[in-house]
Amino acid sequence: MAPENPPNLSSPLKPLKLEIDLGCADDAVVGGIGAYIGNWAADVSQGADPQLVERLERISQAFGQYPELDQPAREDLCRRTIKALELYRRRFRVPDSPARLKPSDSVRFMRGVGPRRAEALADLGIQTVGDLLRHYPTRHQDRRESPPIATLEHRQSATLLVTVTGPGEIKGFRRRGRALVPATDGETPLTLVWFNQPYRARQFDPGTRLFVTGQVMIHKGEFSLHVGETESIPEGEDAAAVAELGRITPVYPLAAGIKQRLLRGLIRGALEACDPLPASAVPDALAQERGLTALPDAIRQIHFPDTDEDRSAARARIAYEELFALQAALARRRAAADRVASSPPIDVAALADEFCASLPFEPTSAQRRVIDDIAGDLGSPVPASRLVHGDVGSGKTVCAAFALLAAARSGAQAAMMAPTELLAEQHYETISGLLEPFDVSCRLLTGALGSSARKYAHRQIERAEDSVIIGTQALFQEAVQFKNLAVAVIDEQHRFGVRQRARLSAKGLAPNVFLMSATPIPRTLALTAYGDFDVSVLDEMPPGRTPVPRSRGAMRRKRCCRQWPAVSFRAARRMWSVP
């Protein structure tokens, strides 16, 4: 006779079998199979009969020693445990209760996911149940109703439920042919058209039901649909088709071996079995203040929304969740950086005025404001992290020159990295001229230097004979050793990777880092993407700046290519005789 409240004895079976498949390497469950079995046994023991409780205690004690066992002993323990649990279920006729999943559990624990399917899901970045729930749809199809074909208009986008009525045919040649398949919604005939997919003509048998999405074309009263997406309904699944037709259906990114219907089924099963759903990073008080949907409800509604309003609210909540997590991570990184001991503060209170007075031009108010920001950073015991962005010609190089000068005046070294040798040479010439009144030694370091010149430059940098070094990626090579790097300036920072910027910063003891970019970045986006950086904006151009003139040849080429878009650029040059 089965117990009144049968315990869930099916949950550990699949993890134990997975552990055996993985060679008993203790990798089947995050945290180890021993801790998993111990927690499960403690939960199941509450309210169970004494005989089962005694057996669960023995199992828990055995798995407590699991990490110390060798591979044969581990496999023997897993197999004996599986056999004991199945024996108890048969003896007391304990029915299978739905296995509860956690976000950290592997997708291999889910029904219908074997080794091959798990590998296909891994190609989508899905390894755990939480990853599956966070695999959000890129868009949704409104299948709440299939409009009659006769009511559709020319070039209207629509999702239809149709039935194939006959064999298809191919028009055209080879892979560039069009597949034409006749279909109907029960009243009006329709031709389904696939471009460059001739195999579609032989894919569907008459009577096959399809969900098709595309653009409706009407020619001489006949309807055709240029199909963009296709989903067939297997025979005997009319109920499922009606269910899909009556709701807003998600469309997910896919990988080889994974189809939409399969992924929808897995996600639906994960929503039902996962307890609890992934935790929220947003505090409850803040979520209520912002009027956000609860995260569990948002996860359900982003996958299978009931209404358009529910979908919009879920999307807003998940977007807020992701941005909040990003900002929290950036804040933690900034707080960790603030606790790091940096180079000694640099006293530049009077240097800013002296530097601006030495310039051969009057700096703009925006340049002076950014220079004051940099001076405040350098005088702080906390290492600077500042993004300076402004349009081309707004004076970012002048601000960078002041930061380099401040480090040199303090007896330390400064480096400026540019993405190309040409730009590095231009910066070297400009900054050398700006720092000439201050008798600062500058050096250019690029990959174009010969072997002997490069070795000599490395010795000079290591001995701190040169205070300001301007170069390319050659600056963060292993052979380059700075004696006391206090300031690192990175121009066109988007041209470098995160690790490349970090390698340059690692050349000193928490140096002050300044990034420069000519890419226009709205303030909100800058604070979002660079939350761990202070942001300074050069929003004023120096007087006398004029737009870069365009040559008449370029204008004539543009007119020609706009007038005849199919004409190649070389043909356009010959036609117009552009030199």
Side-chain angles (χ1 to χ4, degrees):
M1 182 177 179
E4 295 182 1
N5 297 315
N8 185 357
L9 300 180
S10 59
S11 293
L13 294 178
K14 197 161 187 178
L16 288 170
K17 294 176 181 178
L18 177 60
E19 177 70 11
I20 295 173
D21 293 342
L22 296 178
C24 296
D26 206 9
D27 293 334
V29 181
V30 177
I33 191 71
Y36 174 84
I37 294 295
N39 294 333
W40 166 80
D43 294 338
V44 173
S45 297
Q46 299 178 4
D49 64 276
Q51 184 178 357
L52 178 60
V53 171
E54 181 182 356
R55 181 166 297 180
L56 291 176
E57 289 179 354
R58 292 200 302 267
I59 292 175
S60 180
Q61 292 175 1
F63 274 93
Q65 307 297 324
Y66 191 84
E68 287 77 25
L69 300 177
D70 56 11
Q71 194 275 338
R74 290 182 177 185
E75 182 177 351
D76 180 65
L77 176 59
C78 292
R79 293 188 183 279
R80 286 190 292 108
T81 303
I82 294 173
K83 185 177 180 180
L85 293 177
E86 291 179 342
L87 178 63
Y88 184 89
R89 288 170 56 203
R90 288 196 301 269
R91 178 179 300 176
F92 293 94
R93 299 179 183 178
V94 177
D96 284 339
S97 54
R100 306 308 298 173
L101 299 173
K102 298 179 181 179
S104 59
D105 289 343
S106 170
V107 290
R108 288 285 303 273
F109 295 178
M110 297 186 62
R111 186 184 301 275
V113 179
R116 290 187 178 180
R117 192 161 287 173
E119 291 180 2
L121 291 172
D123 293 338
L124 291 171
I126 300 174
Q127 295 182 338
T128 66
V129 177
D131 295 337
L132 182 63
L133 293 175
R134 284 187 289 268
H135 187 72
Y136 302 126
T138 55
R139 58 189 179 85
H140 294 80
Q141 290 180 351
D142 191 350
R143 296 182 178 180
R144 287 174 288 187
E145 61 179 14
S146 178
I149 295 175
T151 63
L152 300 176
E153 299 180 356
H154 185 59
R155 294 189 180 279
Q156 177 183 345
S157 297
T159 298
L160 306 173
L161 177 61
V162 299
T163 303
V164 176
T165 58
E169 60 176 327
I170 301 175
K171 294 289 184 69
F173 300 94
R174 297 183 181 179
R175 295 184 179 180
R176 296 186 178 182
R178 293 173 297 155
L180 308 179
V181 177
T184 181
D185 63 349
E187 297 180 359
T188 307
L190 172 74
T191 301
L192 304 178
V193 183
W194 286 271
F195 292 94
N196 304 325
Q197 302 178 57
Y199 68 92
R200 295 284 192 180
R202 301 180 295 273
Q203 184 176 7
F204 308 110
D205 297 327
T208 303
R209 304 186 72 189
L210 303 174
F211 274 121
V212 286
T213 301
Q215 189 177 49
V216 178
M217 307 298 290
I218 304 176
H219 180 66
K220 295 182 180 181
E222 296 182 355
F223 290 84
S224 63
L225 184 74
H226 293 178
V227 181
E229 295 183 11
T230 310
E231 186 174 339
S232 61
I233 302 172
E235 295 182 5
E237 294 194 14
D238 289 343
V242 173
E244 292 290 342
L245 183 61
R247 67 176 307 115
I248 302 173
T249 305
V251 179
Y252 298 97
L254 300 177
I258 302 295
K259 296 184 179 180
Q260 290 289 350
R261 290 177 67 85
L262 170 64
L263 198 53
R264 291 184 195 129
L266 291 176
I267 292 176
R268 193 186 299 275
L271 289 172
E272 295 174 355
C274 188
D275 185 24
L277 291 177
S280 172
V282 180
D284 294 338
L286 180 59
Q288 294 176 0
E289 179 184 345
R290 300 292 185 184
L292 300 174
T293 306
L295 183 61
D297 296 336
I299 292 177
R300 293 186 181 95
Q301 292 296 326
I302 196 65
H303 289 293
F304 302 103
D306 296 324
T307 63
D308 292 331
E309 292 75 15
D310 292 336
R311 176 180 57 184
S312 300
R315 190 171 184 269
R317 170 57 199 259
I318 290 174
Y320 192 93
E321 186 84 15
E322 293 178 350
L323 290 174
F324 184 88
L326 171 64
Q327 291 299 295
L330 292 175
R332 289 184 61 184
R333 189 165 71 177
R334 181 61 184 269
D338 291 346
R339 292 193 295 269
V340 175
S342 68
S343 302
I346 303 174
D347 186 9
V348 291
L351 184 59
D353 295 332
E354 184 181 355
F355 174 74
C356 292
S358 69
L359 296 175
F361 52 84
E362 183 68 24
T364 64
S365 58
Q367 289 175 326
R368 188 56 199 257
R369 182 180 67 248
V370 174
I371 288 175
D372 290 340
D373 291 342
I374 294 175
D377 292 339
L378 296 177
S380 171
V382 176
S385 296
R386 182 170 296 277
L387 170 68
V388 179
H389 73 85
D391 203 356
V392 175
S394 59
K396 297 187 296 298
T397 306
V398 174
C399 300
F402 170 74
L404 300 174
L405 172 63
R409 269 293 185 90
S410 68
Q413 291 176 293
M416 182 175 183
M417 184 168 65
T420 64
E421 292 184 359
L422 178 61
L423 187 57
E425 293 172 358
Q426 292 175 349
H427 282 318
Y428 175 73
E429 294 178 1
T430 302
I431 293 176
S432 297
L434 294 176
L435 301 186
E436 185 176 1
F438 300 92
D439 193 24
V440 174
S441 173
C442 299
R443 178 166 296 280
L444 178 65
L445 180 62
T446 66
L449 293 178
S451 177
S452 58
R454 189 183 306 114
K455 291 180 181 179
Y456 176 75
H458 292 170
R459 288 197 300 269
Q460 293 293 96
I461 295 172
E462 188 174 2
R463 297 171 183 173
E465 298 292 337
D466 299 313
S467 301
V468 175
I469 300 90
I470 301 171
T472 57
Q473 291 91 333
L475 289 173
F476 58 71
Q477 303 305 315
E478 294 183 4
V480 179
Q481 299 295 329
F482 291 87
K483 185 176 182 179
N484 181 17
L485 181 63
V487 171
V489 179
I490 302 173
D491 190 23
E492 294 193 23
Q493 58 85 24
H494 58 279
R495 301 278 295 274
F496 297 98
V498 175
R499 293 182 180 178
Q500 290 178 318
R501 297 195 294 263
R503 288 179 64 182
L504 178 60
S505 301
K507 294 294 183 179
L509 178 62
N512 300 279
V513 178
F514 299 96
L515 308 182
M516 299 198 304
S517 176
T519 305
I521 308 173
R523 179 170 178 77
T524 303
L525 179 59
L527 292 176
T528 300
Y530 299 96
D532 54 337
F533 280 82
D534 297 317
V535 180
S536 295
V537 182
L538 288 166
D539 53 3
E540 181 181 353
M541 298 293 287
R545 292 282 183 179
T546 58
V548 179
R550 301 190 63 175
S551 65
R552 289 195 301 171
M555 295 299 293
R556 290 164 68 185
R557 288 194 293 271
K558 181 179 179 181
R559 272 200 311 273
C560 176
C561 293
R562 184 172 62 243
Q563 213 165 7
W564 292 286
V567 178
S568 67
F569 176 68
R570 292 182 179 178
R573 289 188 61 178
R574 290 195 300 269
M575 292 171 60
W576 287 84
S577 301
V578 177

